[in-house]
Structure formats: structure tokens, C-alpha cells
Amino acid sequence: MQTSENGLKFISGNEGFTATPQGDYGHQVIGHGHDITLGESFPDPITPDAAWALLLSDVAKVDAAMNAQHLALDLNQNQWDAVADFTFECGAGALVQLLAHGLDQITAQLPRWVHAGGAVLPGMVARRAKDVTLFNS
């Protein structure tokens, strides 16, 4: 299974867009939440098309992590897209922790993932609420 076009739009809308590198709690991001890795350089502003290409590449890795957990067998498309948004933001390790509570606990666990830099972030609270809404739709 893979993230749908609606899921990609959901993630990009949650991430927003930045044409130049921006700090994000100890690391740099560009485009639609692409984590800039060692060796990557963006001396010029990124175009929307280039940002979308990075998002597609990043989400392909999210889909691979989710497929490795065999989630395609148990989730519908909206549920997949919601968990993909969570995994995109929080990482594959967080996905494993989320799933450790059981699939029936996903909507109860998602709202717990709202901390960064030792604080509860209102933006993450809102994003997790949107994830739950999408998961339940």
C-alpha cells in the first residue's frame, strides 16, 4: 500500500512550505518538511516542484516503513494516510512505538505525540487531532 494523493496533500498541508532551510528543533528542513541530511546543500531557494519531488521521495520511505510493519493488511486508505502523516513527522521508530500498543489503540495513542524540545507544541496537538479525524473517516 502507499500514501494516496490526498495523503500527500494532507502531509504537505501540515508541513507547509519553506523555500529556504529553516530550523526545526535541532535540525534543518526545506520544502514540505524534508529533513536536510549530511551532505545535502540548498544554497538557492527550492522550487515548489523540487519540494514536491523531495516529499514524494520522503513519503516513499515512510510507506516502506509502514509496509515493513504489514499495515496494508489492516488499514484502509484514510487510516494509512493518517499514520503516514504521523510517521513522516515523528519517524519510523515512533511508528514502532505507536504500534506496540496495538492497532486498536492508534487513535488513543496519537494525541500523546505532541512534544518537541521538552514542551507540548500547540501545532502538534492540532496535527495529531487532524490525524485522528482522518484515521476515523
Side-chain angles (χ1 to χ4, degrees):
M1 189 170 221
Q2 66 184 30
T3 303
S4 70
E5 186 71 23
N6 286 338
L8 291 168
K9 291 176 183 174
F10 185 74
I11 293 169
S12 69
N14 284 331
E15 288 292 333
F17 173 77
T18 179
T20 57
Q22 301 292 319
D24 186 26
Y25 293 93
H27 62 281
Q28 295 283 303
V29 297
I30 195 165
H32 300 287
H34 172 74
D35 288 325
I36 300 173
T37 60
L38 188 63
E40 285 186 308
S41 177
F42 297 92
D44 298 319
I46 193 170
T47 66
D49 287 343
W52 191 257
L54 282 174
L55 177 67
L56 292 176
S57 175
D58 292 342
V59 171
K61 295 171 190 167
V62 166
D63 288 338
M66 292 174 61
N67 278 309
Q69 297 295 321
H70 308 288
L71 294 178
L73 301 173
D74 298 304
L75 302 181
N76 67 37
Q77 188 66 59
N78 284 345
Q79 291 169 334
W80 182 276
D81 291 345
V83 175
D85 181 65
F86 167 80
T87 305
F88 183 87
E89 183 180 29
C90 298
L95 171 66
V96 171
Q97 290 180 5
L98 178 75
L99 297 175
H101 298 279
L103 292 175
D104 62 330
Q105 293 297 307
I106 288 175
T107 57
Q109 292 298 316
L110 282 170
R112 300 180 69 208
W113 292 83
V114 295
H115 298 84
V120 173
L121 300 182
M124 288 182 77
V125 172
R127 188 168 181 171
R128 293 292 85 80
K130 291 189 327 187
D131 288 339
V132 169
T133 298
L134 179 58
F135 190 94
N136 287 329
S137 66

Coordinates of all heavy atoms in Angstrom, one line a residue, residues 71-133:
L71 N 1.1 -3.1 7.7 CA -0.1 -2.4 7.9 C -1.1 -2.4 6.8 O -2.3 -2.1 7.0 CB 0.3 -0.9 8.3 CG 1.1 -0.7 9.6 CD1 1.4 0.7 9.8 CD2 0.3 -1.3 10.8
A72 N -0.6 -2.7 5.6 CA -1.5 -2.7 4.5 C -2.6 -3.7 4.7 O -3.7 -3.6 4.1 CB -0.8 -3.0 3.2
L73 N -2.4 -4.7 5.5 CA -3.4 -5.8 5.7 C -4.5 -5.3 6.6 O -5.6 -5.9 6.6 CB -2.7 -7.0 6.4 CG -1.6 -7.6 5.6 CD1 -0.9 -8.7 6.4 CD2 -2.1 -8.2 4.2
D74 N -4.3 -4.3 7.4 CA -5.2 -3.9 8.5 C -5.8 -2.5 8.3 O -6.7 -2.2 9.1 CB -4.5 -4.0 9.8 CG -4.1 -5.4 10.1 OD1 -4.9 -6.3 10.1 OD2 -2.9 -5.6 10.3
L75 N -5.2 -1.6 7.5 CA -5.7 -0.2 7.5 C -6.4 0.1 6.1 O -6.0 -0.4 5.1 CB -4.5 0.7 7.6 CG -3.7 0.6 8.9 CD1 -2.5 1.6 8.9 CD2 -4.5 0.7 10.1
N76 N -7.4 0.9 6.2 CA -8.0 1.4 5.0 C -7.1 2.6 4.5 O -6.2 3.0 5.2 CB -9.5 1.8 5.1 CG -9.7 2.9 6.1 OD1 -9.0 3.9 6.1 ND2 -10.8 2.8 6.8
Q77 N -7.5 3.2 3.4 CA -6.6 4.3 2.8 C -6.5 5.5 3.7 O -5.4 6.1 3.9 CB -7.1 4.7 1.4 CG -6.1 5.7 0.7 CD -4.8 5.0 0.4 OE1 -4.7 4.0 -0.3 NE2 -3.7 5.6 0.9
N78 N -7.6 6.0 4.3 CA -7.6 7.1 5.2 C -6.8 6.8 6.4 O -6.0 7.7 6.9 CB -9.0 7.6 5.6 CG -9.7 8.3 4.5 OD1 -9.1 8.8 3.5 ND2 -11.0 8.5 4.6
Q79 N -6.9 5.6 7.0 CA -6.1 5.2 8.1 C -4.6 5.2 7.7 O -3.8 5.7 8.5 CB -6.5 3.9 8.6 CG -7.9 3.9 9.3 CD -8.5 2.5 9.5 OE1 -8.1 1.6 8.9 NE2 -9.4 2.5 10.5
W80 N -4.3 4.7 6.6 CA -2.9 4.6 6.1 C -2.4 6.0 6.0 O -1.3 6.3 6.5 CB -2.8 3.9 4.7 CG -1.4 3.8 4.2 CD1 -0.7 4.8 3.5 CD2 -0.6 2.7 4.3 NE1 0.5 4.3 3.2 CE2 0.6 3.1 3.7 CE3 -0.7 1.5 4.9 CZ2 1.7 2.2 3.6 CZ3 0.4 0.6 4.9 CH2 1.6 1.0 4.2
D81 N -3.1 6.9 5.4 CA -2.7 8.3 5.2 C -2.4 9.0 6.5 O -1.5 9.8 6.7 CB -3.7 9.1 4.3 CG -3.7 8.6 2.9 OD1 -2.8 7.9 2.4 OD2 -4.6 9.0 2.2
A82 N -3.3 8.8 7.5 CA -3.1 9.4 8.8 C -1.9 8.9 9.5 O -1.1 9.7 10.1 CB -4.4 9.1 9.7
V83 N -1.6 7.6 9.4 CA -0.4 7.0 10.1 C 0.8 7.5 9.3 O 1.9 7.7 9.9 CB -0.6 5.5 10.2 CG1 0.7 4.9 10.7 CG2 -1.7 5.1 11.1
A84 N 0.7 7.6 8.0 CA 1.8 8.1 7.2 C 2.2 9.6 7.6 O 3.4 9.9 7.7 CB 1.5 8.1 5.7
D85 N 1.2 10.4 7.9 CA 1.5 11.8 8.3 C 2.2 11.7 9.6 O 3.2 12.4 9.8 CB 0.2 12.6 8.5 CG 0.4 14.0 8.9 OD1 1.1 14.8 8.2 OD2 0.0 14.3 10.1
F86 N 1.7 10.9 10.6 CA 2.4 10.7 11.8 C 3.9 10.3 11.7 O 4.8 10.8 12.2 CB 1.6 9.7 12.7 CG 2.4 9.3 13.9 CD1 2.5 10.1 15.1 CD2 3.1 8.1 13.9 CE1 3.2 9.7 16.2 CE2 3.8 7.6 15.0 CZ 3.9 8.4 16.1
T87 N 4.0 9.2 10.8 CA 5.4 8.7 10.6 C 6.3 9.6 9.9 O 7.5 9.7 10.2 CB 5.3 7.3 9.8 OG1 4.3 6.5 10.5 CG2 6.6 6.7 9.7
F88 N 5.7 10.4 9.0 CA 6.5 11.4 8.3 C 7.1 12.4 9.3 O 8.3 12.8 9.2 CB 5.7 12.2 7.2 CG 6.4 13.2 6.4 CD1 7.1 12.8 5.3 CD2 6.5 14.5 6.8 CE1 7.8 13.7 4.5 CE2 7.2 15.4 6.1 CZ 7.9 15.1 5.0
E89 N 6.3 12.9 10.2 CA 6.7 13.9 11.2 C 7.6 13.3 12.3 O 8.6 13.9 12.7 CB 5.5 14.5 11.8 CG 5.9 15.6 12.8 CD 4.8 16.4 13.4 OE1 3.7 15.8 13.6 OE2 5.0 17.5 13.8
C90 N 7.2 12.1 12.8 CA 7.8 11.6 14.0 C 8.9 10.5 13.8 O 9.7 10.2 14.6 CB 6.8 11.0 15.0 SG 5.6 12.3 15.5
G91 N 8.8 9.8 12.6 CA 9.8 8.9 12.2 C 9.4 7.4 12.4 O 8.4 7.1 13.1
A92 N 10.2 6.5 11.8 CA 9.9 5.1 11.8 C 10.0 4.5 13.2 O 9.2 3.6 13.5 CB 10.8 4.3 10.8
G93 N 10.9 5.0 14.0 CA 11.0 4.5 15.4 C 9.7 4.8 16.2 O 9.2 4.0 16.9
A94 N 9.2 6.0 15.9 CA 7.9 6.4 16.6 C 6.8 5.5 16.1 O 5.9 5.1 16.9 CB 7.6 7.8 16.4
L95 N 6.8 5.1 14.9 CA 5.8 4.2 14.3 C 5.8 2.9 15.1 O 4.7 2.4 15.5 CB 6.0 4.0 12.8 CG 5.1 2.9 12.2 CD1 3.7 3.3 12.2 CD2 5.6 2.6 10.8
V96 N 7.0 2.4 15.3 CA 7.1 1.1 16.0 C 6.5 1.2 17.4 O 5.8 0.4 17.9 CB 8.5 0.6 16.0 CG1 8.7 -0.6 16.9 CG2 9.0 0.2 14.6
Q97 N 6.8 2.3 18.1 CA 6.3 2.6 19.4 C 4.8 2.7 19.4 O 4.1 2.2 20.3 CB 7.0 3.8 20.0 CG 8.4 3.6 20.4 CD 9.0 4.9 21.0 OE1 8.4 5.9 21.2 NE2 10.3 4.8 21.2
L98 N 4.3 3.5 18.4 CA 2.8 3.7 18.3 C 2.1 2.3 18.2 O 1.1 2.0 18.8 CB 2.5 4.6 17.1 CG 1.1 4.8 16.8 CD1 0.5 5.8 17.8 CD2 0.9 5.4 15.4
L99 N 2.7 1.5 17.3 CA 2.0 0.2 17.0 C 2.2 -0.8 18.2 O 1.4 -1.8 18.2 CB 2.6 -0.4 15.7 CG 2.3 0.4 14.5 CD1 3.0 -0.2 13.3 CD2 0.8 0.6 14.2
A100 N 3.2 -0.6 19.0 CA 3.4 -1.5 20.2 C 2.1 -1.6 21.1 O 1.9 -2.6 21.8 CB 4.6 -1.1 21.0
H101 N 1.3 -0.6 21.0 CA 0.1 -0.6 21.8 C -1.1 -1.3 21.2 O -2.1 -1.5 21.8 CB -0.3 0.8 22.1 CG 0.7 1.6 22.9 ND1 0.8 1.5 24.3 CD2 1.7 2.5 22.5 CE1 1.8 2.2 24.7 NE2 2.4 2.8 23.7
G102 N -0.9 -1.7 19.9 CA -1.9 -2.4 19.2 C -2.7 -1.5 18.2 O -2.8 -0.3 18.5
L103 N -3.1 -2.0 17.1 CA -3.8 -1.2 16.1 C -5.1 -0.6 16.7 O -5.4 0.5 16.3 CB -4.2 -2.1 14.9 CG -3.0 -2.6 14.1 CD1 -3.5 -3.6 13.0 CD2 -2.3 -1.5 13.4
D104 N -5.7 -1.3 17.6 CA -7.0 -0.7 18.1 C -6.7 0.5 19.1 O -7.6 1.2 19.5 CB -7.8 -1.8 18.9 CG -7.0 -2.3 20.1 OD1 -5.8 -2.4 20.0 OD2 -7.7 -2.8 21.0
Q105 N -5.4 0.8 19.4 CA -5.1 1.9 20.2 C -4.5 3.1 19.5 O -4.1 4.1 20.1 CB -4.1 1.4 21.3 CG -4.7 0.4 22.3 CD -5.8 1.1 23.1 OE1 -5.7 2.1 23.7 NE2 -7.0 0.4 23.0
I106 N -4.4 3.0 18.2 CA -3.8 4.1 17.4 C -4.4 5.4 17.7 O -3.7 6.4 18.0 CB -3.8 3.8 15.9 CG1 -2.8 2.7 15.6 CG2 -3.5 5.0 15.1 CD1 -2.8 2.2 14.2
T107 N -5.7 5.5 17.7 CA -6.4 6.8 17.9 C -6.2 7.3 19.4 O -6.2 8.5 19.6 CB -7.8 6.8 17.5 OG1 -8.5 5.8 18.2 CG2 -8.0 6.6 16.0
A108 N -6.0 6.4 20.3 CA -5.8 6.8 21.7 C -4.4 7.2 21.9 O -4.1 8.1 22.7 CB -6.1 5.6 22.6
Q109 N -3.4 6.7 21.1 CA -2.0 6.9 21.3 C -1.6 8.2 20.5 O -0.7 8.9 21.0 CB -1.2 5.7 20.9 CG -1.3 4.5 21.8 CD -0.9 4.9 23.2 OE1 0.2 5.5 23.4 NE2 -1.7 4.4 24.2
L110 N -2.2 8.4 19.4 CA -1.7 9.6 18.5 C -1.7 10.9 19.3 O -0.7 11.6 19.2 CB -2.6 9.7 17.3 CG -2.3 8.8 16.1 CD1 -3.4 8.9 15.1 CD2 -1.0 9.0 15.5
P111 N -2.7 11.2 20.1 CA -2.6 12.5 20.8 C -1.5 12.6 21.8 O -1.2 13.7 22.3 CB -4.0 12.6 21.5 CG -4.9 11.7 20.7 CD -4.0 10.6 20.2
R112 N -0.8 11.6 22.2 CA 0.3 11.6 23.1 C 1.6 12.1 22.5 O 2.5 12.5 23.2 CB 0.5 10.2 23.7 CG -0.8 9.7 24.5 CD -0.6 8.4 25.1 NE 0.4 8.5 26.2 CZ 1.2 7.5 26.6 NH1 1.2 6.4 26.0 NH2 2.0 7.7 27.6
W113 N 1.6 12.1 21.1 CA 2.8 12.5 20.4 C 2.8 14.0 20.0 O 2.6 14.3 18.8 CB 3.0 11.6 19.2 CG 3.2 10.2 19.6 CD1 2.3 9.2 19.9 CD2 4.5 9.6 19.6 NE1 3.0 8.1 20.2 CE2 4.3 8.3 20.0 CE3 5.8 10.0 19.4 CZ2 5.4 7.4 20.2 CZ3 6.9 9.2 19.6 CH2 6.7 7.8 20.0
V114 N 2.9 14.8 21.0 CA 2.8 16.3 20.8 C 3.9 17.1 21.4 O 3.8 18.3 21.6 CB 1.4 16.8 21.3 CG1 0.3 16.2 20.6 CG2 1.3 16.5 22.8
H115 N 5.0 16.4 21.8 CA 6.1 17.1 22.4 C 7.3 17.2 21.5 O 7.6 16.4 20.7 CB 6.6 16.2 23.6 CG 5.6 16.1 24.7 ND1 4.6 15.1 24.6 CD2 5.3 16.8 25.8 CE1 3.8 15.2 25.6 NE2 4.2 16.2 26.4
A116 N 8.0 18.4 21.6 CA 9.3 18.6 20.9 C 10.0 19.6 21.8 O 9.4 20.5 22.3 CB 9.1 19.1 19.5
G117 N 11.3 19.4 21.9 CA 12.1 20.3 22.7 C 11.7 20.4 24.1 O 11.8 21.4 24.8
G118 N 11.1 19.3 24.6 CA 10.7 19.2 26.0 C 9.4 19.9 26.3 O 9.0 20.1 27.5
A119 N 8.6 20.4 25.3 CA 7.4 21.1 25.5 C 6.3 20.5 24.7 O 6.5 20.0 23.6 CB 7.6 22.6 25.3
V120 N 5.0 20.7 25.1 CA 3.9 20.4 24.3 C 3.7 21.6 23.3 O 3.7 22.7 23.6 CB 2.6 20.3 25.1 CG1 1.4 20.1 24.2 CG2 2.7 19.1 26.1
L121 N 3.7 21.2 22.0 CA 3.5 22.2 20.9 C 2.1 22.3 20.4 O 1.6 21.2 20.0 CB 4.5 21.9 19.8 CG 6.0 21.9 20.1 CD1 6.8 21.6 18.9 CD2 6.4 23.2 20.7
P122 N 1.5 23.4 20.5 CA 0.1 23.5 20.0 C -0.1 23.1 18.6 O -1.1 22.4 18.2 CB -0.2 25.0 20.2 CG 0.7 25.5 21.2 CD 1.9 24.7 21.1
G123 N 0.9 23.3 17.7 CA 0.8 22.9 16.3 C 0.8 21.3 16.2 O 0.0 20.8 15.4
M124 N 1.5 20.7 17.1 CA 1.5 19.2 17.1 C 0.2 18.7 17.7 O -0.3 17.6 17.2 CB 2.7 18.7 17.8 CG 4.0 18.8 17.0 SD 5.4 18.2 17.9 CE 5.2 16.4 17.6
V125 N -0.4 19.4 18.7 CA -1.7 19.0 19.2 C -2.7 19.0 18.1 O -3.5 18.1 17.9 CB -2.1 19.9 20.4 CG1 -3.5 19.6 20.8 CG2 -1.1 19.7 21.6
A126 N -2.7 20.1 17.4 CA -3.7 20.3 16.3 C -3.4 19.2 15.2 O -4.4 18.6 14.6 CB -3.6 21.7 15.7
R127 N -2.2 18.9 14.9 CA -1.9 18.0 13.8 C -2.3 16.6 14.2 O -2.9 15.8 13.4 CB -0.4 18.0 13.5 CG 0.0 17.1 12.3 CD 1.4 17.4 11.9 NE 1.8 16.7 10.7 CZ 2.9 16.9 10.0 NH1 3.7 17.8 10.4 NH2 3.2 16.1 9.0
R128 N -2.1 16.2 15.5 CA -2.5 14.8 15.9 C -4.0 14.7 15.9 O -4.6 13.7 15.6 CB -2.0 14.5 17.3 CG -0.5 14.4 17.4 CD 0.1 13.1 16.8 NE 0.4 13.3 15.4 CZ 1.5 13.9 14.8 NH1 2.4 14.4 15.6 NH2 1.6 14.0 13.5
A129 N -4.7 15.8 16.2 CA -6.2 15.8 16.2 C -6.6 15.6 14.7 O -7.6 14.9 14.5 CB -6.7 17.1 16.8
K130 N -6.0 16.2 13.8 CA -6.3 16.0 12.4 C -6.0 14.6 11.9 O -6.7 14.0 11.2 CB -5.6 17.0 11.5 CG -6.1 18.4 11.7 CD -5.6 19.5 10.7 CE -4.2 19.4 10.2 NZ -3.8 20.5 9.4
D131 N -4.9 14.0 12.5 CA -4.6 12.6 12.2 C -5.7 11.7 12.7 O -6.1 10.8 11.9 CB -3.2 12.2 12.8 CG -2.0 12.8 12.2 OD1 -2.1 13.2 11.0 OD2 -1.0 12.9 12.8
V132 N -6.2 11.9 13.9 CA -7.2 11.1 14.4 C -8.5 11.3 13.6 O -9.2 10.3 13.3 CB -7.5 11.5 15.9 CG1 -8.7 10.8 16.4 CG2 -6.3 11.0 16.8
T133 N -8.8 12.5 13.2 CA -10.0 12.7 12.4 C -9.9 12.0 11.1 O -10.9 11.3 10.7 CB -10.3 14.2 12.2 OG1 -10.5 14.8 13.5 CG2 -11.5 14.5 11.3

